[in-house]
Amino acid sequence: GPKVLQIPSHQIIDMGQMVTLNCDPVSNHLYFYWYKQILGQQMEFLVNFYNGKVMEKSKLFKDQFSVERPDGSYFTLKIQPTALEDSAVYFCASSFLLNQAPLFGEGTRLSVL
Amino acid sequence: GDSVTQTEGQVTVSESKSLIINCTYSATSIGYPNLFWYVRYPGEGLQLLLKVITAGQKGSSRGFEATYNKEATSFHLQKASVQESDSAVYYCALNTNTGKLTFGDGTVLTVKP
């Protein structure tokens, strides 16, 4: 079946550096999401994105975060600069309709040293 | 804000026994949210197990069932006879009219042979 792909599965960077997490959503999906899960904690909503714009973002979506999907390619989450508390697994998801259960990727584990 | 509560962090059941994983919710942004159970099998990504969007209805998949109880604001997951292959992490979730999913903390199910 259709899949959401996330590249890479694990990324290690030094605090203060920029990182871009890539997501290849299902091709005909229109709504895109990022979620964050710190080890041992709840999976939490960061942001959703439709038609080239952020629809809603949570308080976890700090000013250092940005999302884009240029020309229908990867849906990316950029963090610049990174902080130690950004260490977590980041999950991308996509859906065709707004209230449809989104399809999730397997996550990218980000380790900020 | 919205919240989902799963009271059991870990559940251990013997194979062929019955299972219930509790889930209650609070949706302040909308009266009747859509309700979901997601599952993460070992080594795999998060996937949808079942969903119910109408209060009073029951959803089912792979032998699991959950009924949307709006009076009790509950969406408990049940299975009459579990198998070892059901061992996984189960997440209860709700979404509202913005598409944002709110997750519970997850319940780790271990089925003993």
Side-chain angles (χ1 to χ4, degrees), chain B residues 38-60:
Chain B
Y38 279 85
V39 59
R40 180 180 295 140
Y41 296 103
E44 298 185 20
L46 196 66
Q47 55 186 278
L48 179 68
L49 178 60
L50 57 86
K51 69 175 181 181
V52 180
I53 62 173
T54 304
Q57 297 294 310
K58 180 167 68 177
S60 60

Side-chain angles (χ1 to χ4, degrees), chain B residues 17-93:
Chain B
K17 298 298 184 185
S18 64
L19 167 74
I20 181 164
I21 299 177
N22 293 307
C23 172
T24 57
Y25 67 88
S26 172
T28 57
S29 55
I30 190 171
Y32 301 121
N34 301 320
L35 299 177
F36 307 87
W37 278 100
Y38 279 85
V39 59
R40 180 180 295 140
Y41 296 103
E44 298 185 20
L46 196 66
Q47 55 186 278
L48 179 68
L49 178 60
L50 57 86
K51 69 175 181 181
V52 180
I53 62 173
T54 304
Q57 297 294 310
K58 180 167 68 177
S60 60
S61 173
R62 306 179 207 176
F64 288 89
E65 295 182 339
T67 300
Y68 189 154
N69 186 329
K70 65 181 176 65
E71 289 82 17
T73 61
S74 69
F75 192 55
H76 305 320
L77 183 68
Q78 301 183 71
K79 189 172 186 182
S81 175
V82 296
Q83 303 170 340
E84 204 173 344
S85 57
D86 294 325
S87 294
V89 185
Y90 293 81
Y91 295 91
C92 184

Side-chain angles (χ1 to χ4, degrees), chain A residues 58-113:
Chain A
S58 73
K59 59 186 178 188
L60 296 179
F61 194 80
K62 304 180 296 184
D63 291 342
Q64 298 90 325
F65 287 33
S66 62
V67 291
E68 64 175 357
R69 190 178 186 227
D71 302 322
S73 60
Y74 285 160
F75 176 51
T76 63
L77 173 65
K78 183 187 292 186
I79 309 173
Q80 181 178 26
T82 51
L84 294 176
E85 60 264 28
D86 297 330
S87 293
V89 181
Y90 290 83
F91 293 94
C92 175
S94 69
S95 65
F96 181 67
L97 299 174
L98 183 61
N99 281 338
Q100 194 175 39
L103 200 62
F104 281 81
E106 295 190 14
T108 293
R109 180 176 299 280
L110 176 65
S111 299
V112 181
L113 306 178

